[in-house]
Short mmCIF file of all heavy atoms in Angstrom, two decimals:
data_model
loop_
_atom_site.label_atom_id
_atom_site.label_comp_id
_atom_site.label_asym_id
_atom_site.label_seq_id
_atom_site.Cartn_x
_atom_site.Cartn_y
_atom_site.Cartn_z
N GLU A 221 0.82 -1.21 -0.01
CA GLU A 221 0.00 0.01 0.00
C GLU A 221 0.87 1.27 0.00
O GLU A 221 0.46 2.28 -0.59
CB GLU A 221 -0.93 -0.02 1.21
CG GLU A 221 -1.90 1.14 1.24
CD GLU A 221 -2.90 1.12 0.10
OE1 GLU A 221 -3.25 0.06 -0.41
OE2 GLU A 221 -3.36 2.23 -0.31
N THR A 222 2.04 1.20 0.60
CA THR A 222 2.90 2.38 0.64
C THR A 222 3.34 2.81 -0.75
O THR A 222 3.76 3.94 -0.94
CB THR A 222 4.16 2.16 1.54
OG1 THR A 222 4.94 1.12 1.00
CG2 THR A 222 3.75 1.87 2.98
N TYR A 223 3.26 1.90 -1.71
CA TYR A 223 3.67 2.21 -3.07
C TYR A 223 2.51 2.46 -4.04
O TYR A 223 2.71 2.76 -5.20
CB TYR A 223 4.52 1.05 -3.63
CG TYR A 223 5.80 0.91 -2.80
CD1 TYR A 223 5.88 0.01 -1.75
CD2 TYR A 223 6.88 1.72 -3.08
CE1 TYR A 223 7.02 -0.08 -1.00
CE2 TYR A 223 8.04 1.63 -2.31
CZ TYR A 223 8.09 0.70 -1.26
OH TYR A 223 9.22 0.61 -0.51
N ARG A 224 1.29 2.37 -3.52
CA ARG A 224 0.10 2.55 -4.37
C ARG A 224 0.12 3.89 -5.10
O ARG A 224 -0.19 3.97 -6.28
CB ARG A 224 -1.17 2.42 -3.56
CG ARG A 224 -2.44 2.66 -4.41
CD ARG A 224 -3.70 2.69 -3.57
NE ARG A 224 -3.98 1.40 -3.00
CZ ARG A 224 -4.63 0.42 -3.64
NH1 ARG A 224 -5.03 0.58 -4.87
NH2 ARG A 224 -4.87 -0.72 -3.05
N HIS A 225 0.45 4.96 -4.43
CA HIS A 225 0.40 6.30 -5.05
C HIS A 225 1.31 6.37 -6.26
O HIS A 225 1.04 7.05 -7.23
CB HIS A 225 0.74 7.40 -4.02
CG HIS A 225 2.18 7.43 -3.61
ND1 HIS A 225 2.70 6.55 -2.71
CD2 HIS A 225 3.21 8.22 -4.03
CE1 HIS A 225 3.99 6.80 -2.57
NE2 HIS A 225 4.33 7.79 -3.36
N ILE A 226 2.43 5.63 -6.24
CA ILE A 226 3.38 5.65 -7.37
C ILE A 226 2.74 5.04 -8.59
O ILE A 226 2.76 5.62 -9.67
CB ILE A 226 4.69 4.91 -6.98
CG1 ILE A 226 5.43 5.70 -5.88
CG2 ILE A 226 5.57 4.74 -8.21
CD1 ILE A 226 6.59 4.92 -5.27
N TRP A 227 2.19 3.82 -8.44
CA TRP A 227 1.64 3.21 -9.66
C TRP A 227 0.36 3.89 -10.10
O TRP A 227 0.08 3.96 -11.28
CB TRP A 227 1.52 1.68 -9.50
CG TRP A 227 0.40 1.12 -8.69
CD1 TRP A 227 -0.93 1.14 -8.98
CD2 TRP A 227 0.54 0.42 -7.48
NE1 TRP A 227 -1.62 0.51 -8.00
CE2 TRP A 227 -0.77 0.03 -7.05
CE3 TRP A 227 1.59 0.04 -6.67
CZ2 TRP A 227 -1.02 -0.68 -5.91
CZ3 TRP A 227 1.33 -0.68 -5.54
CH2 TRP A 227 0.03 -1.03 -5.14
N GLU A 228 -0.44 4.43 -9.16
CA GLU A 228 -1.65 5.15 -9.58
C GLU A 228 -1.28 6.40 -10.39
O GLU A 228 -1.91 6.68 -11.40
CB GLU A 228 -2.50 5.53 -8.38
CG GLU A 228 -3.25 4.33 -7.79
CD GLU A 228 -4.08 4.68 -6.60
OE1 GLU A 228 -3.94 5.80 -6.03
OE2 GLU A 228 -4.91 3.85 -6.20
N GLU A 229 -0.22 7.09 -9.95
CA GLU A 229 0.23 8.28 -10.67
C GLU A 229 0.72 7.88 -12.06
O GLU A 229 0.44 8.53 -13.07
CB GLU A 229 1.38 8.95 -9.90
CG GLU A 229 1.94 10.17 -10.57
CD GLU A 229 3.08 10.76 -9.78
OE1 GLU A 229 2.86 11.09 -8.57
OE2 GLU A 229 4.16 10.89 -10.33
N ARG A 230 1.42 6.78 -12.16
CA ARG A 230 1.94 6.32 -13.47
C ARG A 230 0.80 5.88 -14.38
O ARG A 230 0.85 6.12 -15.57
CB ARG A 230 2.97 5.20 -13.26
CG ARG A 230 4.24 5.76 -12.67
CD ARG A 230 5.29 4.72 -12.47
NE ARG A 230 6.47 5.36 -11.84
CZ ARG A 230 7.50 4.68 -11.44
NH1 ARG A 230 7.56 3.37 -11.57
NH2 ARG A 230 8.53 5.31 -10.90
N PHE A 231 -0.18 5.23 -13.83
CA PHE A 231 -1.32 4.84 -14.64
C PHE A 231 -2.08 6.08 -15.13
O PHE A 231 -2.54 6.12 -16.28
CB PHE A 231 -2.28 3.93 -13.86
CG PHE A 231 -1.82 2.50 -13.74
CD1 PHE A 231 -1.95 1.80 -12.57
CD2 PHE A 231 -1.24 1.84 -14.83
CE1 PHE A 231 -1.53 0.49 -12.46
CE2 PHE A 231 -0.82 0.53 -14.73
CZ PHE A 231 -0.97 -0.14 -13.54
N GLU A 232 -2.20 7.08 -14.29
CA GLU A 232 -2.87 8.31 -14.68
C GLU A 232 -2.10 8.96 -15.85
O GLU A 232 -2.69 9.45 -16.81
CB GLU A 232 -3.01 9.28 -13.53
CG GLU A 232 -4.06 8.85 -12.52
CD GLU A 232 -4.08 9.72 -11.27
OE1 GLU A 232 -3.47 10.81 -11.29
OE2 GLU A 232 -4.71 9.28 -10.29
N ARG A 233 -0.77 9.02 -15.73
CA ARG A 233 0.04 9.59 -16.83
C ARG A 233 -0.09 8.78 -18.11
O ARG A 233 -0.16 9.32 -19.20
CB ARG A 233 1.51 9.69 -16.40
CG ARG A 233 1.75 10.80 -15.42
CD ARG A 233 3.23 11.13 -15.25
NE ARG A 233 4.07 9.92 -15.19
CZ ARG A 233 5.04 9.69 -14.33
NH1 ARG A 233 5.31 10.61 -13.42
NH2 ARG A 233 5.74 8.60 -14.34
N LEU A 234 -0.13 7.44 -17.98
CA LEU A 234 -0.32 6.59 -19.12
C LEU A 234 -1.69 6.84 -19.77
O LEU A 234 -1.79 6.95 -20.99
CB LEU A 234 -0.16 5.12 -18.75
CG LEU A 234 -0.36 4.10 -19.84
CD1 LEU A 234 0.63 4.31 -20.99
CD2 LEU A 234 -0.27 2.66 -19.31
N ASP A 235 -2.72 6.96 -18.94
CA ASP A 235 -4.05 7.28 -19.46
C ASP A 235 -4.06 8.59 -20.24
O ASP A 235 -4.63 8.69 -21.32
CB ASP A 235 -5.09 7.37 -18.33
CG ASP A 235 -5.50 6.02 -17.81
OD1 ASP A 235 -5.31 5.01 -18.50
OD2 ASP A 235 -6.04 5.98 -16.68
N ASP A 236 -3.39 9.60 -19.67
CA ASP A 236 -3.32 10.91 -20.33
C ASP A 236 -2.62 10.79 -21.68
O ASP A 236 -3.04 11.35 -22.69
CB ASP A 236 -2.57 11.93 -19.45
CG ASP A 236 -3.36 12.33 -18.21
OD1 ASP A 236 -4.59 12.03 -18.15
OD2 ASP A 236 -2.76 12.89 -17.28
N TYR A 237 -1.50 10.05 -21.71
CA TYR A 237 -0.74 9.88 -22.92
C TYR A 237 -1.54 9.12 -23.98
O TYR A 237 -1.58 9.51 -25.15
CB TYR A 237 0.57 9.15 -22.63
CG TYR A 237 1.40 8.90 -23.86
CD1 TYR A 237 2.01 9.94 -24.57
CD2 TYR A 237 1.55 7.61 -24.37
CE1 TYR A 237 2.76 9.72 -25.69
CE2 TYR A 237 2.33 7.38 -25.51
CZ TYR A 237 2.92 8.43 -26.15
OH TYR A 237 3.67 8.22 -27.29
N LEU A 238 -2.20 8.07 -23.56
CA LEU A 238 -3.04 7.31 -24.51
C LEU A 238 -4.18 8.15 -25.06
O LEU A 238 -4.52 8.06 -26.24
CB LEU A 238 -3.56 6.02 -23.87
CG LEU A 238 -2.50 4.98 -23.51
CD1 LEU A 238 -3.11 3.84 -22.73
CD2 LEU A 238 -1.81 4.48 -24.75
N GLN A 239 -4.79 8.98 -24.20
CA GLN A 239 -5.86 9.87 -24.66
C GLN A 239 -5.30 10.87 -25.68
O GLN A 239 -5.93 11.17 -26.69
CB GLN A 239 -6.49 10.60 -23.48
CG GLN A 239 -7.67 11.44 -23.87
CD GLN A 239 -8.81 10.61 -24.43
OE1 GLN A 239 -9.21 9.61 -23.86
NE2 GLN A 239 -9.31 10.99 -25.59
N GLU A 240 -4.12 11.40 -25.40
CA GLU A 240 -3.47 12.33 -26.32
C GLU A 240 -3.21 11.68 -27.68
O GLU A 240 -3.46 12.26 -28.72
CB GLU A 240 -2.15 12.80 -25.69
CG GLU A 240 -1.44 13.89 -26.42
CD GLU A 240 -0.18 14.30 -25.67
OE1 GLU A 240 -0.24 14.54 -24.45
OE2 GLU A 240 0.88 14.34 -26.33
N LEU A 241 -2.69 10.45 -27.67
CA LEU A 241 -2.48 9.72 -28.92
C LEU A 241 -3.77 9.48 -29.68
O LEU A 241 -3.82 9.65 -30.90
CB LEU A 241 -1.82 8.36 -28.63
CG LEU A 241 -0.36 8.36 -28.26
CD1 LEU A 241 0.11 6.94 -27.95
CD2 LEU A 241 0.50 8.94 -29.36
N GLN A 242 -4.82 9.11 -28.95
CA GLN A 242 -6.09 8.86 -29.58
C GLN A 242 -6.66 10.16 -30.17
O GLN A 242 -7.15 10.16 -31.31
CB GLN A 242 -7.08 8.29 -28.58
CG GLN A 242 -8.36 7.81 -29.20
CD GLN A 242 -9.23 7.08 -28.23
OE1 GLN A 242 -9.11 7.28 -26.99
NE2 GLN A 242 -10.14 6.25 -28.71
N ASP A 243 -6.54 11.27 -29.45
CA ASP A 243 -7.01 12.56 -29.98
C ASP A 243 -6.24 12.95 -31.25
O ASP A 243 -6.85 13.39 -32.21
CB ASP A 243 -6.84 13.65 -28.93
CG ASP A 243 -7.79 13.49 -27.74
OD1 ASP A 243 -8.76 12.67 -27.85
OD2 ASP A 243 -7.55 14.15 -26.70
N THR A 244 -4.94 12.75 -31.22
CA THR A 244 -4.10 13.04 -32.40
C THR A 244 -4.50 12.19 -33.59
O THR A 244 -4.65 12.69 -34.70
CB THR A 244 -2.61 12.84 -32.07
OG1 THR A 244 -2.24 13.68 -30.98
CG2 THR A 244 -1.72 13.14 -33.27
N GLN A 245 -4.73 10.91 -33.34
CA GLN A 245 -5.14 10.00 -34.41
C GLN A 245 -6.50 10.40 -34.97
O GLN A 245 -6.71 10.41 -36.18
CB GLN A 245 -5.19 8.57 -33.89
CG GLN A 245 -5.51 7.56 -34.97
CD GLN A 245 -5.52 6.12 -34.43
OE1 GLN A 245 -5.34 5.89 -33.25
NE2 GLN A 245 -5.73 5.19 -35.32
N ASN A 246 -7.41 10.74 -34.10
CA ASN A 246 -8.76 11.18 -34.55
C ASN A 246 -8.67 12.46 -35.38
O ASN A 246 -9.35 12.58 -36.40
CB ASN A 246 -9.70 11.39 -33.35
CG ASN A 246 -10.09 10.07 -32.70
OD1 ASN A 246 -10.00 9.01 -33.30
ND2 ASN A 246 -10.55 10.13 -31.47
N LYS A 247 -7.84 13.39 -35.00
CA LYS A 247 -7.67 14.64 -35.75
C LYS A 247 -7.10 14.37 -37.13
O LYS A 247 -7.53 14.93 -38.13
CB LYS A 247 -6.78 15.62 -35.00
CG LYS A 247 -7.42 16.28 -33.81
CD LYS A 247 -6.49 17.20 -33.08
CE LYS A 247 -7.11 17.73 -31.81
NZ LYS A 247 -6.16 18.55 -31.05
N GLU A 248 -6.10 13.47 -37.15
CA GLU A 248 -5.48 13.09 -38.44
C GLU A 248 -6.49 12.43 -39.35
O GLU A 248 -6.54 12.68 -40.56
CB GLU A 248 -4.27 12.22 -38.23
CG GLU A 248 -3.08 12.93 -37.63
CD GLU A 248 -1.92 12.00 -37.24
OE1 GLU A 248 -2.04 10.77 -37.45
OE2 GLU A 248 -0.92 12.54 -36.77
N GLU A 249 -7.32 11.52 -38.81
CA GLU A 249 -8.32 10.84 -39.61
C GLU A 249 -9.34 11.85 -40.14
O GLU A 249 -9.79 11.75 -41.28
CB GLU A 249 -8.98 9.75 -38.78
CG GLU A 249 -8.11 8.55 -38.54
CD GLU A 249 -8.71 7.53 -37.60
OE1 GLU A 249 -9.88 7.74 -37.11
OE2 GLU A 249 -8.04 6.51 -37.33
N ASN A 250 -9.73 12.80 -39.29
CA ASN A 250 -10.72 13.81 -39.73
C ASN A 250 -10.13 14.71 -40.79
O ASN A 250 -10.81 15.05 -41.75
CB ASN A 250 -11.20 14.62 -38.56
CG ASN A 250 -12.12 13.84 -37.62
OD1 ASN A 250 -12.72 12.84 -38.03
ND2 ASN A 250 -12.22 14.25 -36.39
N THR A 251 -8.89 15.08 -40.66
CA THR A 251 -8.21 15.94 -41.62
C THR A 251 -8.02 15.17 -42.94
O THR A 251 -8.28 15.71 -44.03
CB THR A 251 -6.84 16.38 -41.10
OG1 THR A 251 -7.00 17.05 -39.86
CG2 THR A 251 -6.16 17.32 -42.08
N ASP A 252 -7.62 13.94 -42.88
CA ASP A 252 -7.41 13.11 -44.09
C ASP A 252 -8.73 12.89 -44.80
O ASP A 252 -8.82 12.89 -46.04
CB ASP A 252 -6.80 11.75 -43.75
CG ASP A 252 -5.36 11.87 -43.34
OD1 ASP A 252 -4.74 12.92 -43.58
OD2 ASP A 252 -4.83 10.89 -42.76
N GLY A 253 -9.81 12.71 -44.06
CA GLY A 253 -11.11 12.46 -44.66
C GLY A 253 -11.64 13.68 -45.40
O GLY A 253 -12.30 13.58 -46.41
N ARG A 254 -11.35 14.89 -44.92
CA ARG A 254 -11.85 16.12 -45.54
C ARG A 254 -11.05 16.50 -46.77
O ARG A 254 -11.54 17.09 -47.68
CB ARG A 254 -11.79 17.27 -44.54
CG ARG A 254 -12.93 17.23 -43.56
CD ARG A 254 -12.96 18.50 -42.72
NE ARG A 254 -13.03 18.06 -41.36
CZ ARG A 254 -12.42 18.60 -40.34
NH1 ARG A 254 -11.61 19.62 -40.54
NH2 ARG A 254 -12.56 18.17 -39.15
N SER A 255 -9.75 16.16 -46.80
CA SER A 255 -8.90 16.59 -47.91
C SER A 255 -9.02 15.73 -49.11
O SER A 255 -8.54 16.04 -50.16
CB SER A 255 -7.43 16.62 -47.47
OG SER A 255 -6.99 15.34 -47.11
#
């Protein structure tokens, strides 16, 4: 339990990064579809 905050923080950062990748991919798909 003393280490829980470490892995929770890392999971949160991973979630943020994955969301950022997904947003970037969605923007690229939308841009490619319009052009």
Side-chain angles (χ1 to χ4, degrees):
E221 185 64 29
T222 62
Y223 297 95
R224 177 186 294 276
H225 71 281
I226 294 170
W227 76 69
E228 285 180 348
E229 179 182 304
R230 289 181 181 174
F231 283 139
E232 287 173 14
R233 286 194 317 226
L234 179 60
D235 284 341
D236 292 344
Y237 178 69
L238 293 174
Q239 185 63 50
E240 187 178 310
L241 285 177
Q242 189 173 22
D243 291 347
T244 300
Q245 184 178 3
N246 288 340
K247 286 178 187 176
E248 288 173 359
E249 288 174 359
N250 288 338
T251 304
D252 289 345
R254 282 189 230 140
S255 62

